[in-house]
Amino acid sequence: MPSKETALKLERSPLVFVLSQVRFPAVLKMEDHVPDIQEALRKQDFPRYNKEDIQQVTFGGTELKAERDKRWVFASRSRHEAVILSSNFVVYETSDYDIFETFTERFSPVLELIGDITATEFVEQIGLRYVDLIRPTENKAAGEFLRQKVRGLSQEDLGAKSTRSQFSTQARTEQGDLFVRSFENTGPNMVPPDLVSTHLRFKTDPDDLKDELYRILDIDHITKGEFDFSREQLIEKLWDLHEFSSKAFRAAVTEEAIEFWKREA
């Protein structure tokens, strides 16, 4: 599917992590399908395999319920891409993002594979998430790459010794719920806390960040409903989510930042 707007190709892209999750009604026999799925994904350049036991906490009435589940991880040799499968969702994630066409080209055959093998009829939720690592330069703080409304109050504004700013907004789009978050951080954990267990390697060395005050920009767009488990329809929905996510990115960062990231390193 052609892009609805010009692809934003940034030579110094701050993107460090992108994922899409597709949720569907639970397939209780999913583990029986894993050998066939693993064999097919090996041929799609996901040769690494790992099985994980996880615990999910859910609300049941007024009580919290902890349920055990399994998920299966199929990663590329470089560990810059991975497919994560559970009984009720499939995720494609990458730390080597190029443009959205490339992202969907990689996820599309995975969706077709899962749909064909499990005979799942429909999905209930689709999400697309982008995480940018915005680092300072010699003459510019990381926050200066963001528009003023996203930066928050500075220590100069408050007359304080130091500050740690956070920004969060939730919007309702034509497609679903859009979350835009930003926070300052130091240290090696360059992704939001709920993503620290990612299976990927990052191109930025975490040790380089230990003394650096950087910004995370986290854009998450989710649509809920019943959609046919059709590769074409699911990719089309992802394009719809991407359109608003791209607008959110452009709204959060400055024009000067985009021009800086466009330049060759």
Side-chain angles (χ1 to χ4, degrees):
M1 172 178 289
S3 174
K4 295 184 180 180
E5 62 179 46
T6 303
L8 189 59
K9 178 70 173 178
L10 302 177
E11 296 297 331
R12 301 183 182 187
S13 175
L15 264 178
V16 291
F17 186 77
V18 184
L19 72 84
S20 176
Q21 182 190 68
V22 173
R23 285 188 168 272
F24 43 82
V27 178
L28 299 183
K29 291 188 176 182
M30 183 65 81
E31 190 162 17
D32 295 340
H33 298 302
V34 168
D36 291 335
I37 293 171
Q38 193 260 348
E39 182 60 22
L41 287 177
R42 282 197 317 110
K43 298 174 182 178
Q44 293 182 26
D45 298 324
F46 296 99
R48 298 184 184 274
Y49 169 77
N50 189 36
K51 177 182 175 181
E52 299 177 344
D53 290 315
I54 58 174
Q55 180 171 293
Q56 296 182 336
V57 179
T58 59
F59 283 98
T62 59
E63 298 180 355
L64 287 174
K65 294 183 178 180
E67 298 179 350
R68 305 295 300 180
D69 199 0
K70 297 181 178 67
R71 67 182 180 188
W72 302 272
V73 181
F74 313 88
S76 64
R77 183 177 178 180
S78 66
R79 290 197 176 96
H80 287 152
E81 295 179 282
V83 173
I84 303 169
L85 180 68
S86 81
S87 62
N88 66 341
F89 69 74
V90 59
V91 166
Y92 169 63
E93 59 183 23
T94 180
S95 60
D96 190 19
Y97 184 90
D98 179 35
I99 55 177
F100 197 61
E101 286 90 342
T102 307
F103 183 88
T104 56
E105 285 170 5
R106 290 292 284 159
F107 195 20
S108 181
V110 174
L111 290 171
E112 184 175 37
L113 171 66
I114 302 303
D116 287 348
I117 287 182
T118 66
T120 299
E121 294 184 7
F122 64 94
V123 306
E124 299 172 315
Q125 179 175 300
I126 307 168
L128 180 63
R129 189 169 181 180
Y130 289 90
V131 178
D132 291 280
L133 169 67
I134 301 175
R135 303 180 66 182
T137 63
E138 290 183 3
N139 55 8
K140 193 183 290 287
E144 294 180 69
F145 289 91
L146 299 173
R147 296 185 186 272
Q148 188 64 50
K149 55 192 172 185
V150 183
R151 296 178 193 177
L153 296 173
S154 68
Q155 64 186 73
E156 290 80 10
D157 294 329
L158 300 173
K161 293 182 178 179
S162 64
T163 59
R164 281 293 178 91
S165 295
Q166 295 187 43
F167 170 87
S168 178
T169 192
Q170 179 178 350
R172 183 71 181 170
T173 72
E174 296 173 3
Q175 300 302 322
D177 293 310
L178 176 67
F179 302 87
V180 182
R181 312 176 188 93
S182 177
F183 60 90
E184 290 181 306
N185 196 27
T186 56
N189 293 329
M190 67 182 77
V191 293
D194 62 312
L195 297 177
V196 293
S197 61
T198 178
H199 305 84
L200 301 186
R201 288 176 176 166
F202 295 100
K203 292 192 171 182
T204 299
D205 186 345
D207 289 338
D208 291 344
L209 304 174
K210 60 183 179 180
D211 298 318
E212 187 172 287
L213 182 63
Y214 55 86
R215 279 271 189 165
I216 295 296
L217 180 61
D218 181 11
I219 299 174
D220 192 6
H221 200 185
I222 300 168
T223 185
K224 296 180 180 180
E226 286 193 8
F227 313 103
D228 289 344
F229 204 122
S230 156
R231 173 178 66 169
E232 292 79 10
Q233 290 188 37
L234 295 178
I235 293 299
E236 183 175 353
K237 292 301 294 183
L238 284 173
W239 271 103
D240 291 337
L241 294 176
H242 165 74
E243 182 179 6
F244 284 94
S245 298
S246 180
K247 287 180 180 178
F249 175 76
R250 291 175 183 268
V253 304
T254 66
E255 291 295 331
E256 292 79 10
I258 291 177
E259 291 303 315
F260 174 79
W261 291 325
K262 279 182 179 179
R263 302 175 203 156
E264 291 187 8

